[in-house]
Amino acid sequence: MAETLMHALQCDSYGGGAAALKHVEVPIPTPNKDEMLLKLDAISLNPVDWKIQEGVLRPFLPRKFPCIPASDVAGEVVKVGPGVTNFKAGDKVVATLHHFTGGGLAEYAVAKENLTVARSPEVSAAEGAGLPVAGLTAHQALTQAAGVKLDGSGQQVNLLITAASGGVGHYAVQLAKLGNTHVTATCGARNLDFVKSLGARGS
């Protein structure tokens, strides 16, 4: 790879919202052990991203300034570091970057192998990038808090999923239907048909 610099959006301090993001050129990161360099095709922003920038999680996040925000990404593997065995250059993947490091608002980012999955051809980069934080939040809420067994083997439960057309909600409805559940959902009137199409009974 001939390039040594990449374009990115970077913030130098807490606060300021989108206006505080600066267009910069910074060195392309190098993958270390168990890491991969990704050329990013899409990223998604989550509430935690603006909370970090606004200082809600100070002094823990970000670890240092300047920082490149965002953690949910989709892209193509460009280079693998030592110890990476499940991916190779050219693979299309979805990854979540650690909130300590961020790095999503850039042309390239380094991802841990154990926080990366292959992206199926039928899933677009944009769809894939929207999955990690929202999908994992829905998964944890169902399997850990509600005790739903996604293989359908558990006792039947009735679930109420609020904001079912939102980022976490629409994943929760779909995952819940894999289990032995009866799903009732709430959403705005304009999204009722969408939520019903996912398998919920709207209210």
Side-chain angles (χ1 to χ4, degrees), residues 16 18 65 90 100 121 135 151 164 181:
F65 287 109
F100 284 155
D151 62 0
T181 65

Side-chain angles (χ1 to χ4, degrees), residues 24 36 45 58 71 94 194:
V24 295
M36 301 171 293
L45 295 173
R58 74 172 76 182
S71 61
V94 172
F194 167 65

Side-chain angles (χ1 to χ4, degrees), residues 16-187:
L21 294 173
K22 299 178 180 178
H23 289 266
V24 295
E25 281 194 341
V26 295
I28 295 174
T30 300
N32 295 315
K33 186 176 186 299
D34 300 324
E35 293 179 340
M36 301 171 293
L37 178 65
L38 308 182
K39 187 178 192 317
L40 302 185
D41 296 318
I43 68 109
S44 69
L45 295 173
N46 296 285
V48 69
D49 296 313
W50 67 258
K51 288 178 181 178
I52 290 172
Q53 187 190 3
E54 289 301 310
V56 175
L57 300 178
R58 74 172 76 182
F60 304 107
L61 296 174
R63 278 190 170 175
K64 63 179 181 178
F65 287 109
C67 79
I68 299 172
S71 61
D72 285 2
V73 302
E76 180 178 321
V77 177
V78 175
K79 184 179 180 181
V80 298
V84 173
T85 58
N86 294 320
F87 299 97
K88 64 185 184 306
D91 286 348
K92 300 288 189 179
V93 297
V94 172
T96 186
L97 312 176
H98 201 290
H99 289 301
F100 284 155
T101 56
L105 289 178
E107 293 181 280
Y108 296 87
V110 165
K112 292 281 191 182
E113 181 180 25
N114 64 355
L115 295 177
T116 303
V117 296
R119 175 169 64 84
S120 300
E122 61 268 21
V123 177
S124 72
E127 290 168 337
L131 175 64
V133 167
L136 287 171
T137 300
H139 186 277
Q140 290 172 350
L142 289 170
T143 59
Q144 298 177 21
V148 174
K149 294 186 180 299
L150 300 183
D151 62 0
S153 64
Q155 183 177 359
Q156 185 173 36
V157 295
N158 295 317
L159 290 178
L160 171 64
I161 298 176
T162 60
S165 61
V168 174
H170 87 287
Y171 285 124
V173 172
Q174 295 173 83
L175 288 171
K177 294 304 291 184
L178 296 175
N180 188 14
T181 65
H182 177 82
V183 177
T184 300
T186 65
C187 65

